Amino acid sequence: FTPARSDTAPRAAAARAPRPRRARHALAVLALARWPNALIAAGGVGVGAARVTRAPSAGVLLAALAAVALTVAANAWNDAADADVDRVAHPARPVPSGRIMVAEAQHIATGAALAGVALAAGARWELGALSCAVVAALRAYSPTLKRMGLAGNLAVALLASLPFLYGSSAAGSAGAGLALVAVAVPLHLARELAKDLADVAGDALANRRTLPRTAGPAAASLAIAVSSLAFAILFAKLVGSRVELAAPALAMVAVACALVSRHPAWGAAAFKLAMLAAMAGVVFLGPSA
């Protein structure tokens, strides 16, 4: 039994007290999810759909929500698996800082993965099936793919490019999305390699055999340059005579390549800006014939 409260003021104060804690927890969950990346994934779905039609549809919306959910799952699983390393390399992140427990991050990831598969299946059953494979790959990322060096980078670049396929498939044409995936993979690969250059110290703690650690920073920088050139050629071919649509992204890629050897974290950020510029260019390009 508990004593009855004769005063409503303490009760009201007690009801208000947990709100700041809940707000802080909500912000920690958003940080765990990397919400800007989740929104970019949803934008990729929209870009893929824009290559097919200008008409919005419920299927495209479901595919965009699926991309958000799968991005949340990927980041939450990654942070849960990297908790020990991040306590040294990235102590401000939600898990190593103690704002979110490892078990909670794993639960968030599992729930987001299940939601992603269900939402994708609601858009098209084929996307639901593809999402099952995506979830399996995401689950294997930290224990397996992350330790495979360049092959792991390629796998991540492919997974990160799939929102374009989700969007075009939900809009009725998988082929348009596949063309965008082919353009996006080398740009994502360049960014992943730049992130590896920036995370050499943390990867050394986890004994990950990334390209900068096994072949050296010069080899990684060369691979970034080659990937960037491949993107430039493919993107220029995609936009054709509409060079004004390619110019901002290509200029930002050039900036990223110039930054990456001395400031790899800045280079990785510049590659992300190049992605956004390229996505905008594709939207203005409009549906394929």
Side-chain angles (χ1 to χ4, degrees):
F1 298 101
T2 57
R5 295 178 181 268
S6 59
D7 190 345
T8 59
R11 190 184 310 171
R16 288 194 300 269
R19 290 182 182 175
R21 185 181 303 171
R22 287 198 294 266
R24 288 195 299 270
H25 185 261
L27 290 174
V29 172
L30 287 174
L32 178 77
R34 312 285 202 281
W35 64 268
N37 291 349
L39 292 180
I40 290 173
V45 173
V47 171
R51 283 296 283 162
V52 180
T53 178
R54 292 295 194 189
S57 69
V60 172
L61 176 60
L62 288 173
L65 292 174
V68 170
L70 293 173
T71 302
V72 172
N75 291 319
W77 267 325
N78 182 61
D79 279 14
D82 286 355
D84 291 337
V85 174
D86 284 347
R87 286 188 183 96
V88 177
H90 302 285
R93 286 182 177 177
V95 173
S97 67
R99 288 177 291 159
I100 291 180
M101 299 295 103
V102 170
E104 183 183 3
Q106 291 172 334
H107 293 326
I108 290 171
T110 301
L114 292 174
V117 171
L119 289 164
R124 287 183 71 94
W125 73 265
E126 298 94 338
L127 290 179
L130 175 60
S131 295
C132 290
V134 169
V135 167
L138 295 178
R139 197 70 182 90
Y141 172 64
S142 288
T144 305
L145 294 178
K146 195 181 258 191
R147 303 177 185 277
M148 292 173 60
L150 185 59
N153 293 136
L154 281 167
V156 172
L158 176 59
L159 290 171
S161 302
L162 287 180
F164 299 119
L165 177 60
Y166 275 57
S168 68
S169 295
S173 175
L178 287 173
L180 293 179
V181 169
V183 174
V185 165
L187 183 56
H188 278 290
L189 177 59
R191 180 169 182 263
E192 287 300 313
L193 291 169
K195 288 163 61 181
D196 281 352
L197 274 173
D199 288 343
V200 167
D203 289 334
L205 288 173
N207 197 29
R208 296 190 185 110
R209 296 179 59 80
T210 62
L211 188 64
R213 292 195 64 231
T214 57
S221 296
L222 177 60
I224 289 170
V226 171
S227 297
S228 299
L229 179 60
F231 162 74
I233 293 171
L234 292 170
F235 192 45
K237 183 177 180 181
L238 179 72
V239 301
S241 61
R242 303 287 304 277
V243 292
E244 74 280 5
L245 300 181
L250 297 182
M252 191 54 63
V253 166
V255 170
C257 289
L259 287 172
V260 77
S261 59
R262 293 189 178 184
H263 303 286
W266 295 1
F271 277 123
K272 181 181 281 191
L273 292 176
M275 292 175 192
L276 295 174
M279 289 166 63
V282 172
V283 170
F284 283 110
L285 185 62
S288 57

